Amino acid sequence: MKFYVFLLLLLTACAKQMEKPYVQAIYPTSNVLPENLLRIYVHFSQPMKTVGNIEKMKLVDEQGKEVPDVFFNNVYELWNKEQTQLTLILDPARVKTGLKANETLGRAIKPNQNYTLIIEGLEDVNHQKMTNSFQKRIMIEEADIIIPELKNWKLIIPKTKSKTGFVLEFPQILDYNSLRERLIITDNENLPIEGIVSIKNQETEWSFQPTKSWESGDYILHVNTRLEDPSGNNLNGLFDHKTGSLKYRKEGIVKKIHFTIKP
């Protein structure tokens, strides 16, 4: 019996190893993005090699011409620890006004233009290459210069004794990684509530479903002010801010939103 279990596990592992890698998702998920877009997250189906990948990704315009120098190609690529998510950064020196690269070259992507992100030929850790090319069409609009504001968020508070999600709705797209990392719910004694975070509706909705049913009482939503949108604008101010214009001198200050689940 143990032999057959071992054989089944071995066959499952081999089958997994033979699967070709592919792009599972791209964030932001919207196809309409601002010209001052700063980050794109690429999610793969399995762990990937972590070097030499950005050269295999390109952005082409409506005529099929590659946009040069659009991605910041650092020595070390920005992968998560599972090697399944790659962060692409559009060259910040071109995004931020007042810098030499921006003044000389301008922003890499232009408003009222359509582009296609093409990803092909990447390999996973088992040296298996992507079979199919992945393409995402993008329409570019004017720069996003709106600071995210807590006062504009809508809170949907669940009922007691339920496992319904606590929901935040935002009037604008927020950064996928920020939504996963910079929002925490605790009880009134600052003890974290265990649960699962879901990000929906093109990153305009954050939902937290508790492991255990909600109990009536007071809770706190902790919001790190580095929470940002895809253009790098955060709760402190604009990415493209003027010196001395930030709300908080200390980056990463945590703001608290108190809410009550009634009996």
Side-chain angles (χ1 to χ4, degrees):
M1 182 66 179
K2 290 183 178 180
F3 171 77
Y4 289 109
V5 172
F6 171 77
L7 182 59
L8 179 61
L9 292 173
L10 181 62
L11 291 173
T12 302
C14 290
K16 180 65 176 177
Q17 184 172 332
M18 292 177 66
E19 290 180 3
K20 302 295 184 182
Y22 60 90
V23 175
Q24 282 187 322
I26 295 277
Y27 296 94
T29 52
S30 174
N31 291 325
V32 181
L33 299 171
E35 66 168 308
N36 58 340
L37 176 69
L38 190 61
R39 293 188 190 88
I40 297 174
Y41 303 110
V42 185
H43 286 239
F44 293 90
S45 57
Q46 51 218 58
M48 306 293 287
K49 289 184 178 179
T50 58
V51 294
N53 295 295
I54 295 179
E55 294 88 346
K56 299 171 184 175
M57 302 183 178
K58 59 184 178 181
L59 195 70
V60 300
D61 61 19
E62 292 175 297
Q63 288 72 45
K65 182 179 179 181
E66 183 175 357
V67 181
D69 304 318
V70 63
F71 299 122
F72 181 65
N73 197 353
N74 197 6
V75 176
Y76 300 103
E77 295 178 355
L78 300 177
W79 288 88
N80 63 356
K81 64 180 181 180
E82 294 82 13
Q83 298 177 210
T84 55
Q85 176 187 286
L86 173 62
T87 301
L88 295 176
I89 299 180
L90 280 75
D91 191 345
R94 295 186 65 179
V95 173
K96 191 173 177 66
T97 58
L99 299 181
K100 184 176 181 179
N102 177 272
E103 293 178 348
T104 304
L105 302 172
R107 287 178 173 144
I109 52 179
K110 312 296 182 184
N112 304 313
Q113 299 291 320
N114 294 315
Y115 297 88
T116 303
L117 174 64
I118 301 175
I119 302 172
E120 56 189 357
L122 276 68
E123 294 184 2
D124 66 14
V125 293
N126 296 312
H127 309 288
Q128 298 175 119
K129 187 178 291 187
M130 291 176 61
T131 302
N132 300 317
S133 169
F134 176 89
Q135 299 187 7
K136 177 182 173 70
R137 293 270 295 171
I138 301 170
M139 184 176 75
I140 301 301
E141 59 183 8
E142 297 292 333
D144 179 1
I145 51 173
I146 300 174
I147 299 172
E149 296 276 4
L150 292 179
K151 66 181 181 181
N152 296 328
W153 295 5
K154 180 181 178 181
L155 279 65
I156 302 176
I157 299 173
K159 295 181 179 180
T160 187
K161 305 300 181 184
S162 75
K163 286 188 177 181
T164 304
F166 170 89
V167 177
L168 295 172
E169 294 181 351
F170 316 109
Q172 64 193 107
I173 296 172
L174 293 181
D175 179 82
Y176 177 80
N177 267 18
S178 277
L179 289 172
R180 295 203 67 85
E181 298 173 358
R182 290 173 177 153
L183 293 167
I184 298 174
I185 293 180
T186 71
D187 62 20
N188 206 35
E189 296 180 353
N190 285 324
L191 296 175
I193 306 298
E194 294 184 359
I196 298 173
V197 169
S198 299
I199 299 167
K200 304 175 182 178
N201 295 335
Q202 297 186 337
E203 298 80 69
T204 62
E205 180 181 311
W206 183 89
S207 176
F208 178 85
Q209 184 173 15
T211 303
K212 299 180 180 179
S213 298
W214 294 104
E215 297 290 341
S216 59
D218 296 325
Y219 294 84
I220 305 171
L221 172 68
H222 301 255
V223 185
N224 189 306
T225 55
R226 287 178 178 158
L227 178 72
E228 60 189 35
D229 64 23
S231 296
N233 307 315
N234 63 28
L235 299 181
N236 294 304
L238 297 175
F239 173 75
D240 201 4
H241 67 274
K242 295 179 181 178
T243 302
S245 65
L246 295 182
K247 289 183 181 180
Y248 311 110
R249 292 182 180 180
K250 184 178 180 181
E251 283 277 344
I253 189 172
V254 174
K255 306 293 286 185
K256 296 181 181 181
I257 299 176
H258 296 262
F259 65 94
T260 300
I261 296 180
K262 297 180 181 180

